[in-house]
Amino acid sequence: MKIRIKFRKQGMMKFIGHLDVMRYFQKVMRRADVDIRYSEGFSPHQIMSFAAPLGVGLLSNGEYVDIEVLSAEDSRTMVRRMNEVMAEGIEVVSFRKLDDSSKSAMSLVAAADYILSFRPGKEPEDLEVFFDRLEAFYGQEHIFIEKKTKKGVKEMDLKPLIYELRREGSSVFMKVSAGSTDNVKPELVMDAFYQFMGQELLPFTFQAEREEVYADVGAEGERRLISLEELGEDIE
Amino acid sequence: MRKLALSDEILLSVQQPARYIGGEVNMAVKDPAKVDTRFCLAFPDVYEIGMSHLGIQILYDMFNRRDDVYCERVYSPWTDMDRVMRENHIPLFALESQDPVKDFDFLGITLQYEMCYTNVLQILDLSGIPLYARDRTESDPFVIGGGPCAYNPEPLAPFFDLFYIGEGETVYDRLFDVYKEHKKQGGSRREFLEKAARIPGLYVPAFYDVTYAQDGTIASFSPNNPSAPAQVVKELVVNMDDAWYIEKPLVPFIKVTQDRVVLEIQRGCIRGCRFCQAGNIYRPLREHSLEYLKKYAYKMLKSTGHEEISLSSLSSSDYTQLEGLVNFLIDEFQGKGVNISLPSLRIDAFSLDVMSKVQDVKKSSLTFAPEAGSQRLRDVINKGLTEEIILSGARDAFLGGWNRVKLYFMLGLPTETEEDMKGIAYLSEKVAETFYEIPTEQRQRRVQIVASSSFFVPKPFTPFQWARQCTKEEFSRRAYLVRDTFRQMKNFKSLKYNWHEADLSVLEGVLARGDRRVAPVIEEAYRRGALFDSWGENFNNDLWMDAFEACGVDPGFYTERERSLDEILPWDFIDAGVSKEFLKREWQAALDERITPNCRQKCSGCGARAFGGGVCFEN
């Protein structure tokens, strides 16, 4: 049975890198006695794959890991069992059953939401001006940036990859392309914006938080994003 | 959410921020305001090493069982963090509460190897605790040392208020009770130390005076305070099944050296290898019962979620219930994705059989530790491993599909001759020949034999404690001779020879058998920048040699001199169980090339029987 687990990564867990989060979850499965499936062979490993690596330093309310199990209790019980053996900062939000034919979370990732909040003391002098400029920035037809590749510097248009960019309270909200082909990191957008303002984005200005990760279920040429969580169903 | 001592800017600018944030699964969480005693356990090396140490985990669990004690941890900040903390004047903090170490009642530092001594000073220094115990005030923690290097605490004596000699499970409870009472009544630092000195196994260096003779040897070593005993007897757990063991080991987020459940199956060793300090100071051998180990294997795998369990002991093959235990682990856990790792097994039919069950033969290698290249020298060191045993074990293994062998040796052992040194290459060659003698269809195509030699460092409480140690030049010359002999071997292409750094071994020798006059050298080396000396990339021998020179201390006095049997040794005030008479007999037996039977064959009257337990009372 294929299962999709959604979890939050908060607090000091932001210092734990992706590979260590994977190792962490392998141990969680054993501590919580999840009846996970193992691969065959001399050194069997758990059938487990993560949707999209989260950079060190980022928080998240929408991380995903897919596993395969031989059996499971209802979703609420499974969420509780896993949360009972968690370290502070990681919390399982949902445990949902997937169709046997469903694709892995990793291959489905198409977009992600981020919220960038100013760190204390790093707020701009005038928030209104800041967000006015943000609107102007996003209102451009093209947002050309220089991207460093192996062959040198390449110019690319960021605009089609930013699906939403707006103010949310005193933070910045963005919905951007994600996944293996056009993965947009939030700092790439902010770098371009600061350049647009004629300023330099200093490190540690924002605390970034991933809010959600989406699959694109729309037909060819038409984008319809739904969260990875919605592709599964609770086990009653 | 816990508040961290370091900012995001700092944590995201160093390697492995997880070293400094705590919060691991099974971490003890208490309100520091609600306990009587705050104890910070320190392992003076980087997090990944310190977190792999079983002893710390046992004490951590044991101390935190008490409601009136909150035990936290600290490890050496790596060089990048060390720099940041100094630049920003950030005091060293404990991982759990993230509070400064200086605010604790106790700082307990485990001393597992000599090359961590500059890191001991780093921990004190970064904490803002005066390096010298005599400079500490009522607001400073009591600094207590323990672990195997505490069996000769003298090179570190001035830096510590107390040392705990022996196994930690026994008298810490008494120390905490005494401290609690002392705190309630109010009293000076000195008064507390006097109370502590009366607890068995505790040594307060300030309560002893040392005088030296003209030739530099110790003239007298005696207490200067009525609370201090003339002899400090090591503490030891008599019945292992009564000892505290961990049910919920800490589970680090990052990969540490020992990233698995460690099951200590027994303590001590029956073998009596004459170079081995652990084999002497942990006498007598004491086993855990099979039932006890089964119970803890379950509990610890469940509470950690680790995917591997490893057995720990000095010589697992001597555990009487080994077969039952190994079969239990295989039957119970192997199908559940848990790997079983079996270190220090003697190679025989049984071990080859279980190893082929628990590991991929093609990917694993066999390890033998002959320690010396010739039978003569193996008799000198009382290593009861013969060439026949090694070659027949290797043959069985080759027939079983193995084709990688590791051989461990020491160079510079007492009485070593050129023939003994060349024997390292000859023995390695014979292992290769044993492989090629097997018909091609019954073995793998090629064999790879890796021989490694370390340099012998005489240690306190061993029969070799009086021995002369080689100089750096002698060590290197011997290694070159072995290397050149390897080059002449017929199967040279199947053999590989590695050797360790010589200057590190010489320094280790000074620190291992040093006295109080070595302390200023450690401080001087630390001031000049020595840190993480056990890490090859950080070790700077010149810096240490300059420190010796600046302090007017001759390292050769401690290493290049064979001591006379009547010399007062710096650690003579400790009673480690094995008597000096026994060690002298063994030293003589070594020189006579006579072997001593192991504890199960015949009692040799080492003195450890006085503790009233273990192998001494098996029959």
Side-chain angles (χ1 to χ4, degrees), chain A residues 10-16 20-21 23-24 26-28 30-33 38 42-44 56-57 85-89 119 122 203-204 207, chain B residues 1-2 4 8-9 11-12 16-18 21-23 25 251-255 259 302-307 336-338 356-360:
Chain A
Q10 293 292 328
M12 55 152 230
M13 287 304 295
K14 71 178 167 196
F15 299 110
I16 309 301
D20 291 324
V21 170
R23 287 179 353 101
Y24 172 83
Q26 288 164 9
K27 294 183 202 281
V28 166
R30 293 199 184 83
R31 287 199 296 270
D33 271 330
Y38 282 85
F42 211 97
S43 45
V56 174
V85 297
M86 285 289 163
E88 184 183 304
R119 289 172 184 271
K122 302 288 174 74
F204 299 103
Q207 171 66 60
Chain B
M1 291 270 176
R2 294 182 316 125
L4 298 179
D8 286 11
E9 282 90 332
L11 285 167
L12 292 172
Q16 299 287 22
I21 60 178
V25 168
V251 187
F253 293 116
I254 53 176
K255 210 166 166 48
D259 189 32
K302 176 84 178 86
S303 67
T304 58
H306 279 314
E307 53 273 17
K336 297 171 186 163
V338 175
S356 65
K357 281 184 195 155
V358 302
Q359 54 191 234
D360 190 346

Side-chain angles (χ1 to χ4, degrees), chain A residues 115-165:
Chain A
I115 288 183
L116 283 78
S117 311
F118 289 103
R119 289 172 184 271
K122 302 288 174 74
E123 301 86 351
E125 270 174 43
D126 193 330
L127 267 183
E128 299 308 318
V129 172
F130 178 87
F131 286 113
D132 282 350
R133 300 296 291 150
L134 186 71
E135 216 179 306
F137 167 73
Y138 190 53
Q140 300 175 96
E141 199 179 333
H142 299 283
I143 300 174
F144 289 109
I145 57 159
E146 289 185 339
K147 210 177 164 184
K148 286 188 191 99
T149 63
K150 280 171 205 155
K151 287 177 190 161
V153 184
K154 203 179 94 183
E155 193 173 65
M156 69 168 280
D157 186 5
L158 202 53
K159 181 69 196 282
L161 304 178
I162 307 174
Y163 307 144
E164 251 184 278
L165 181 64

Side-chain angles (χ1 to χ4, degrees), chain A residues 7-8 41 47 59 77 107 132 146 160 173 188 190 192 215 224 232:
Chain A
F7 65 96
R8 305 174 65 216
I47 308 291
L59 301 171
T77 307
S107 64
D132 282 350
E146 289 185 339
F173 172 91
L188 189 71
M190 293 318 281
R224 197 164 79 82

Side-chain angles (χ1 to χ4, degrees), chain B residues 479-535:
Chain B
Y480 296 145
L481 184 113
V482 177
R483 181 196 60 191
D484 293 344
T485 314
F486 264 98
R487 286 183 179 158
Q488 296 157 21
M489 295 298 107
K490 198 174 83 206
N491 290 297
F492 176 61
K493 281 188 175 155
S494 302
L495 310 177
K496 196 166 181 256
Y497 173 61
N498 302 317
W499 65 96
H500 292 190
E501 284 295 317
D503 37 19
L504 202 71
S505 303
V506 171
L507 184 57
E508 185 185 325
V510 177
L511 299 177
R513 291 192 294 170
D515 53 36
R516 292 185 178 191
R517 290 168 298 182
V518 173
V521 182
I522 301 170
E523 186 198 357
E524 183 64 25
Y526 170 71
R527 300 271 183 220
R528 288 167 184 256
L531 199 62
F532 289 105
D533 294 304
S534 62
W535 294 73

